[in-house]
Amino acid sequence: MKEYPGRLVLLGDPVSHSLSPIFQNAALKAAKIPLVYEAMEVKARELRTVLRELKESNAAGNVTIPHKASVHSSCDELTDLAARVGAVNTFWFDAGKLYGDNTDVGGFDAAARSLLGGETNGVHIVLLGAGGAAAAVLAAAETWTDARVAIVARRPERVAALARRFPDVARVEKNAKHALAGATLVVNATPVGLEDEEHPLDVALIPRSTAVMDLVYQRGGTSWVKAARKNGNRAADGLTMLLEQGALAFRCWFGMEPDREAMRLSLV
């Protein structure tokens, strides 16, 4: 049996909104693992110190905004997927070394397939954002047959850099309305709507045939998802992705599958 971590934590800023402690603790209880998953609000200036402290307790856990790239840079070993994405959302210590993985890719893949009815061939995605979450979307999309991704974001240099990293599927698009013509799926990979009801894109611009996925999540759905559904679009927030990336992280830490139903029911 794989040795249990000394602690299980979520590192981010903010973390008070996170549902991860609820469903991870449900998974731990179902597996009869005597650990508690705790959220830690960590400022950027505190991250290195916190990682040193976690090393001493042989900890494991998750990473959320804004630390995914910084933890990636701090890791001694990365999985191929984490290296490809350039961001870490799942970590653990082993023999004093910090290991990093990215389960957001698998989480997005599962959530997108659920929303699209399992069909990903030839999908045309309009991707809002150019950070770590956007890179995870691209890493998933490049494994799909004939997928295309148009990246729309405010910082041209970041968009161009991301498109260069995923040249087989990605292209830069300056005009969101133009990019949406013929789109299968539009994905919000920005933090917009995380702490308020702001929308990353006017739903009136989105064709009704285009599915909408918000990687932000809130209980009951985000404001953008609710508006998209009212507009007639198939839409989902980030809850499915959150649960699946959490299940994949659990497998990294413990070498076993969690009880996904217990995780899901904990959020009902």
Side-chain angles (χ1 to χ4, degrees):
M1 183 178 68
K2 190 170 181 179
E3 183 180 349
Y4 293 159
R7 292 178 67 187
L8 269 183
V9 298
L10 170 66
L11 307 179
D13 181 23
V15 289
S16 59
H17 70 285
S18 179
L19 300 179
S20 292
I22 297 172
F23 68 74
Q24 289 293 11
N25 282 317
L28 291 167
K29 182 178 180 181
K32 296 182 170 58
I33 294 174
L35 285 172
V36 175
Y37 181 104
E38 57 186 315
M40 295 180 64
E41 186 164 301
V42 179
K43 302 298 181 185
R45 65 181 181 275
E46 303 167 338
L47 184 61
R48 286 195 174 196
T49 301
V50 169
L51 287 174
R52 283 197 298 269
E53 293 170 352
L54 293 173
K55 177 180 177 179
E56 294 302 315
S57 58
N58 203 43
N62 291 121
V63 186
T64 188
I65 293 171
H67 301 316
K68 292 182 182 183
S70 296
V71 172
H72 174 277
S73 300
S74 299
C75 284
D76 300 298
E77 300 285 347
L78 294 166
T79 63
D80 290 343
L81 201 51
R84 181 76 181 113
V85 176
V88 160
N89 81 312
T90 299
F91 73 92
W92 63 94
F93 285 93
D94 188 11
K97 286 187 175 182
L98 177 58
Y99 289 77
D101 197 359
N102 191 301
T103 64
D104 283 336
V105 179
F108 171 76
D109 184 271
R113 289 178 186 276
S114 176
L115 182 61
L116 297 173
E119 184 54 64
T120 58
N121 289 357
V123 167
H124 173 200
I125 299 173
V126 175
L127 178 60
L128 309 177
V137 171
L138 285 160
E142 70 177 357
T143 68
W144 300 346
T145 303
D146 297 327
R148 295 173 294 142
V149 184
I151 310 171
V152 181
R154 295 177 181 176
R155 297 174 61 178
E157 70 284 358
R158 292 190 69 176
V159 176
L162 196 57
R164 285 194 298 270
R165 287 173 52 201
F166 297 90
D168 292 342
V169 293
R171 64 180 173 85
V172 177
E173 180 58 69
K174 295 180 181 179
N175 187 303
K177 186 175 182 179
H178 179 266
L180 285 163
T184 313
L185 174 67
V186 57
V187 179
N188 174 34
T190 77
V192 174
L194 183 64
E195 298 184 274
D196 52 36
E197 295 194 350
E198 187 179 353
H199 293 185
L201 181 70
D202 184 355
V203 295
L205 298 175
I206 305 173
R208 289 185 180 177
S209 59
T210 301
V212 173
M213 181 177 292
D214 195 348
L215 301 193
V216 172
Y217 62 89
Q218 292 180 4
R219 283 187 179 273
T222 63
S223 174
W224 192 52
V225 163
K226 291 175 183 176
R229 288 173 178 163
K230 190 174 181 180
N231 192 52
N233 302 87
R234 286 176 296 162
D237 69 3
L239 194 57
T240 299
M241 177 176 171
L242 178 74
L243 284 166
E244 183 58 22
Q245 66 79 27
L248 295 172
F250 189 99
R251 189 170 67 189
C252 289
W253 305 324
F254 301 109
M256 60 185 285
E257 295 293 336
D259 185 334
R260 283 173 168 79
E261 185 64 6
M263 295 169 76
R264 187 188 67 80
L265 288 174
S266 72
L267 300 181
V268 174

